[in-house]
Amino acid sequence: MAVDMSVDLIQATVQLEQPLGNGMRTVGTGFLIQDPTPDGKARVVLVTANHVFEKMPGDKATIGYRIENADGSWRFAPETITIRKAGHALWTHHGDRDVAAITITAPEAFAKAAIPLNWLAGDDTFNKYQFGPGDELMALGFPQGLSSNPAGFPILRSGRVASYPLTPSKAFPTFLLDFNVFPGNSGGPVYTAGNLHRRDGASAEDQPFVAGMLTQEVELNSQTLQIGIVTQARYIRETLSLLDDPKGAHPAAPVPQATQTAAAEPLGVPVAATADSVAVAR
């Protein structure tokens, strides 16, 4: 049975926000993953870019859940989660990559909507499907804090892989996507939508996958290049593994001001990347 990755990921993707006062709010994107505990108990984990939480100065954030009504319509039903306690971050983040994870108690419908862990690409996935530069990827998010409708569903957009090589992920932890990034896109899933076996020699199996998470945008001399930076799914997996190994987790960095930016790794040219979960007006 074919997986409708877009519909399933739309259901699992949520807006994250926190009010900043004066009609402003900081906004990002997150998505839910089914990640059972080592003893097999069900667990729902919210993943997002680490800077999304860092840029929220308060202790509580809002998750934009949606509820389906009896007549088939939907309504926006946000709930709050605690992300800090007594000044200490409650989320776990990767030591080297802009990825964060926090265990949550989600409404039943959202717990069911969380995507399986095995949808995240592994180290061999790109090679298996001969996936590379020029291939299309889909991205979900809330650009400028906007949703696709009043029910709060994310906006679906697409772009093409704009860099080479993609593997191994340990050597190339991020890749470029020809995609115009806006504030609010940070933390959104980036994924394929089928037709993976069109190349000669590629696997005959056609299974979409989550390639990674949109974390930054490329900027040169204060000019955006309409190129997104995607952190590979490997580092989402590694961050999830830290949930069960607290000694291996790294403490969250101090909370920056909403105007600060996140630096990108060197890419061979003088490139910087702005943190794209920033304050936007309601």
Side-chain angles (χ1 to χ4, degrees), residues 195-212:
N195 299 320
L196 298 176
H197 60 270
R198 60 195 177 281
R199 292 180 177 172
D200 291 340
S203 170
E205 183 182 350
D206 189 3
Q207 175 64 49
F209 57 85
V210 176

Side-chain angles (χ1 to χ4, degrees), residues 253-274:
V255 179
Q257 298 299 314
T259 56
Q260 287 187 330
T261 62
E265 65 207 88
L267 295 175
V269 291
V271 174
T274 60

Side-chain angles (χ1 to χ4, degrees), residues 114-214:
I115 65 169
L117 181 62
N118 63 12
W119 283 12
L120 297 177
D123 276 349
D124 63 340
T125 303
F126 286 170
N127 291 334
K128 177 181 179 181
Y129 295 115
Q130 296 193 6
F131 192 82
D135 284 331
E136 186 177 43
L137 287 171
M138 315 300 286
L140 287 165
F142 298 89
Q144 295 288 10
L146 298 175
S147 56
S148 63
N149 50 45
F153 284 96
I155 294 174
L156 174 63
R157 297 159 65 212
S158 65
R160 293 190 178 275
V161 176
S163 57
Y164 177 85
L166 304 182
T167 60
S169 58
K170 185 175 182 180
F172 302 98
T174 63
F175 62 88
L176 302 181
L177 188 67
D178 185 8
F179 176 87
N180 196 5
V181 180
F182 292 94
N185 280 130
S186 275
V190 176
Y191 65 99
T192 64
N195 299 320
L196 298 176
H197 60 270
R198 60 195 177 281
R199 292 180 177 172
D200 291 340
S203 170
E205 183 182 350
D206 189 3
Q207 175 64 49
F209 57 85
V210 176
M213 173 191 293
L214 190 67

Side-chain angles (χ1 to χ4, degrees), residues 7-189:
V7 172
D8 289 339
L9 264 173
I10 284 172
Q11 296 284 7
T13 300
V14 291
Q15 179 176 285
L16 304 173
E17 68 170 284
Q18 187 179 95
L20 298 175
N22 298 320
M24 304 295 289
R25 56 186 175 138
T26 183
V27 178
T29 302
F31 57 105
L32 307 183
I33 297 177
Q34 300 170 14
D35 179 34
T37 61
D39 59 2
K41 292 182 180 178
R43 176 173 60 182
V44 176
V45 178
L46 169 69
V47 296
T48 186
N50 184 50
H51 74 260
V52 169
F53 284 151
E54 285 186 343
K55 291 170 75 67
M56 293 180 173
D59 291 345
K60 295 184 182 296
T62 299
I63 299 183
Y65 292 129
R66 289 93 46 180
I67 302 297
E68 186 174 12
N69 299 316
D71 63 358
S73 62
W74 292 80
R75 61 184 174 85
F76 191 54
E79 294 185 7
T80 59
I81 60 168
T82 302
I83 60 173
R84 290 187 188 83
K85 187 174 183 179
H88 298 287
L90 300 181
W91 71 90
T92 296
H93 78 96
H94 197 279
D96 300 312
R97 297 292 134 201
D98 189 8
V99 181
I102 187 170
T103 301
I104 63 170
T105 301
E108 182 179 0
F110 269 84
K112 292 180 179 178
I115 65 169
L117 181 62
N118 63 12
W119 283 12
L120 297 177
D123 276 349
D124 63 340
T125 303
F126 286 170
N127 291 334
K128 177 181 179 181
Y129 295 115
Q130 296 193 6
F131 192 82
D135 284 331
E136 186 177 43
L137 287 171
M138 315 300 286
L140 287 165
F142 298 89
Q144 295 288 10
L146 298 175
S147 56
S148 63
N149 50 45
F153 284 96
I155 294 174
L156 174 63
R157 297 159 65 212
S158 65
R160 293 190 178 275
V161 176
S163 57
Y164 177 85
L166 304 182
T167 60
S169 58
K170 185 175 182 180
F172 302 98
T174 63
F175 62 88
L176 302 181
L177 188 67
D178 185 8
F179 176 87
N180 196 5
V181 180
F182 292 94
N185 280 130
S186 275

